[in-house]
Amino acid sequence: VSTAAIAFAFEYLEDVSKAQIIQDEPEKVLVKLVSGPGFNKDKQEFMEWELRKMLSPDLKIDVELVDDIPASANGKYRMVVQNYYK
């Protein structure tokens, strides 16, 4: 799934300024979010539903709220970090 397609899961979440999806193992991702005060459980569940719809209905999703998501060594922000390859 392309990064553009994954970005759709965050498109309607006005209270999320940055998001990063990290996959280190099969069927599991960590989603780091920089969110505002309006982000709540309903919005998180919507995001998780969108991701499962695009990636896998069995996907385990851990969410971590963070203050910032820094740029990588090349100075670019990576929305998807794929550390697991089949």
Side-chain angles (χ1 to χ4, degrees):
V1 176
S2 72
T3 300
I6 290 174
F8 187 74
F10 305 99
E11 184 174 350
Y12 299 105
L13 297 178
E14 297 170 357
D15 297 309
V16 173
S17 59
K18 281 187 182 178
Q20 184 176 60
I21 300 170
I22 303 169
Q23 184 177 22
D24 291 323
E25 56 187 278
E27 296 296 323
K28 182 178 179 183
V29 294
L30 169 64
V31 178
K32 291 186 175 185
L33 297 175
V34 178
S35 63
F39 188 75
N40 59 37
K41 185 168 178 62
D42 290 338
K43 291 178 182 181
Q44 179 176 326
E45 288 174 357
F46 172 78
M47 175 207 62
E48 291 176 8
W49 176 77
E50 285 285 349
L51 288 173
R52 286 189 184 99
K53 185 171 66 170
M54 285 181 276
L55 302 174
S56 168
D58 300 321
L59 185 66
K60 180 173 179 349
I61 301 171
D62 291 328
V63 176
E64 181 180 340
L65 300 179
V66 296
D67 293 329
D68 191 28
I69 300 172
S72 60
N74 67 3
K76 295 183 179 179
Y77 163 70
R78 292 178 60 195
M79 183 173 210
V80 177
V81 178
Q82 181 69 33
N83 296 322
Y84 171 78
Y85 301 95
K86 288 183 181 181

